[in-house]
Every structure is written in C-alpha cells, then in structure tokens.
Amino acid sequence: MSDLSFHQAEAHAEEDENYFISMTDMMVGILFIFIILLMVFALNFRQQTETSEDHIRKLEAAAAAARSVTAKLEEIQKDVRSEIDSISATDRVRAALLEEIQSKLRAQGLIVTIDPVSGVVRLGNNAINFPRSSAALDATASERVVILAKVLAEVLPKYTRIGTELPAHLETVFVEGHTDSTGGDPNNWPLSTERAVNTFRGLTEAEPQLRTLMNLAGTEVLSVAGYSSTRPIREFSNEDGRQRRIDLRFVMDANNLDRLRDVLELTDTMQDQLQFLQKSLDDVGVH
C-alpha cells in the first residue's frame, strides 16, 4: 500500500466519524426553518377573520403538516440521542482496549502512554525507537516488537470477532512511523513510512495471525502510515529522540450505517412536509 493510500484510508475513517455531526447540523437548520414557518403560521392564524370552509380547510391542512413535522422531529431527536449513546459506547470500548494493551505491556516491562481521545498507544524510548536517519530495528527494538506482537495477538481478537456483545469493533490499527524535524520532508516522508513498515513486518513475523484479523468489511485490520515530522509530541522538543517513534492508532467501526440511513430518510420526509406547509401558508395568503 502506498503512502498516499495510507493517508486516504485514515482520512476516510475520519470522514466516517464526522458524517453524523454534519447530519445533525443539517437537521438543526431544518428545525430552524420549521420554527420560522410555524411562527408565521400562528401569527397569521390569529389575524384571520375569514371563516369560509375552504379557508378553514387550508388552515387545518397546514396545521396537520406542522404536527407531522413535529412528530418527525421527535423521531430524529430519538435517533440523535441513540447515536450519541453509540458514540459514547464506542469511545468506552476503545478506551478499554487501550488500557488493556498498556497494562499488559507494563507487565512485560514496556512503559507506553495512551491517548483515549485520539485512540493512540505511543511507543516511546522505553518501547520502540530509532537512531537518527535510520529505520532499522536494532536488537533491543526487535525484542520489544516481539513483546508488542504477543500482546496485540492476545488482545485484538476479542475486538475484531464478529458476534461479540461489544457495541463497536476495530476497523483499523495504524502502525504509524514518525521522525524529528531534521533532514527535511523529502527524506523524512519515506523514512517515517519505512519505520512503520519495518515495525509492521516485525509484528507480523513474530505473530503471523495478526494478518488474519479482519474488520467488519472483511479487510485486514493492521495497516501502516508515515507522517514525517508533521505530528510532533508537544511536550517534547522537536529535536528530541522521542519524536523518532512508532504510534499505534486504533479506529473503531460502530456499524451505524443503517441508523444514519434512517435519519436521512426522516429528513427527506420532513423536507416534504415543510414544502407542503409552505404551500398551505401560501394558499391562505401568508407570504
């Protein structure tokens, strides 16, 4: 897989995570339009003096459309709450995964840090590190890769096995290579990618079953990416050797496509009802 493909894969994962946020933004906009129309309708209704049957029938039709939209909004609110619960559950599953890996590595003498927000296990100097301008794993680093591989082989299957009771499964584990800022991007991009590839190769040679772990789409969970010096750790000097590191980034798949489709269908129906409401208001002279 090319470096461009690595970044496209991660960008796709990030787009999936943000898709529901965009959907809710759209629904807020629709709700705002509906409130304005309903206010205009209410004001006009109070001002009406005409009592013809046709006029009353049109007003009743507009009121029915308003009630229908209100019901649809309640359904959307329920789905939004459900999605929020799902996202929270996914975050809890990933946090538990990171903590389990950290605990098992600590028991083997490897101290790593975790970032539950971004889903990262950071392998610093105490775990896997590289000499400047090198992607080679020395004897110590190779031994630590073997330890890491055994822990991943023990922990990851329970988070990828279809049929478990977990609300989310692993979509991807990126083995991410990083460099410090010396040397410049022309050298550091391939260098960081080579570091990730060498680590990936060490992991899968030590525990070949890691390549058999599949996500819900049926593709391999383990992948690689290189970031040059673009993602420094803030608390370290950019020249610090700890920038020449490997991170593991865990991306979860909550399998929420069906729920998102339901929300989209509700918004389409709601839009139809809003158009009907506007037409009814036009018919009774509201402009």
Side-chain angles (χ1 to χ4, degrees), residues 230-248:
T230 61
R231 295 191 176 185
I233 306 173
R234 291 182 179 180
E235 59 266 33
F236 299 157
S237 163
N238 203 38
E239 307 307 322
D240 195 300
R242 286 172 289 188
Q243 300 291 2
R244 303 191 294 273
R245 69 190 194 277
I246 292 292
D247 289 347
L248 297 180

Side-chain angles (χ1 to χ4, degrees), residues 160-231:
T160 57
R161 191 177 298 118
I162 297 175
T164 63
E165 298 299 323
L166 295 175
H169 295 76
L170 269 175
E171 202 282 328
T172 305
V173 180
F174 285 104
V175 180
E176 299 182 341
H178 299 267
T179 70
D180 59 30
S181 62
T182 61
D185 282 342
N187 293 324
N188 286 338
W189 281 114
L191 178 60
S192 63
T193 302
E194 189 177 359
R195 286 172 175 172
V197 169
N198 286 347
T199 304
F200 173 92
R201 188 175 291 122
L203 291 170
T204 54
E205 286 176 355
E207 296 289 341
Q209 64 268 38
L210 288 173
R211 296 208 63 176
T212 68
L213 298 176
M214 301 292 166
N215 57 26
L216 295 177
T219 59
E220 290 187 35
V221 166
L222 214 59
S223 187
V224 298
Y227 288 100
S228 184
S229 59
T230 61
R231 295 191 176 185

